[in-house]
Amino acid sequence: GLASRSGFAGDALVAHYARLARGGIGLLCSEPLLALPPGGLPPPHLGAYDDAFVPGLQQLARAAGAHGAHLLLSLEAPAALAARPDLAPVREALLLAAWRAHAAGADGILL
C-alpha cells in the first residue's frame, strides 16, 4: 500500500524495503507489480507496464542490495485478462515487464 496512486515506487516504499533488508532479511519478494495497465484495480498497485517505472524499481533494488538482501519482483496480470482465449498480449506484457525488472537490477522475478 505504499506505491503512489499512479503505480510508482516512492520514498516511503523504498524506505520500507531498506528497513526490511537492514533487519537481516536475505530475500525480499515484492508486492505484485502489474505487467498490464490496472484497468479496474484499486490503487495503489506497483506498475511494471511501462519503462517509466524502471527508475523507481531501481531504487527498490538498490535499497535491498545496499543491506545485502536480494530482490525478486513479483509480476502479475489481472485474472480477467489471463482468462482470455488469446494470451499473446498477456505473454508479451509479462516478457516486457520481466525485462524491466532486469533493467531495474532485480535479482529475479516471480510470475
Side-chain angles (χ1 to χ4, degrees):
L2 296 175
S4 74
R5 291 189 62 76
S6 54
F8 289 91
D11 293 340
L13 185 61
V14 172
H16 174 68
Y17 278 70
R19 271 191 307 276
L20 292 172
R22 202 171 32 250
I25 293 176
L27 178 63
L28 295 169
C29 298
S30 75
E31 58 200 82
L33 281 77
L34 295 178
L36 294 157
L41 289 179
H45 212 84
L46 280 176
Y49 51 87
D50 192 278
D51 292 345
F53 293 109
V54 172
L57 298 176
Q58 285 174 327
Q59 290 180 329
L60 290 180
R62 281 195 294 260
H67 302 286
H70 297 278
L71 176 66
L72 296 182
L73 294 179
S74 177
L75 306 178
E76 86 169 30
L81 292 173
R84 293 171 30 173
D86 177 17
L87 292 178
V90 175
R91 181 186 69 227
E92 185 68 20
L94 286 167
L95 285 170
L96 288 172
W99 274 110
R100 290 181 185 110
H102 174 72
D107 294 294
I109 61 167
L110 299 170
L111 293 177

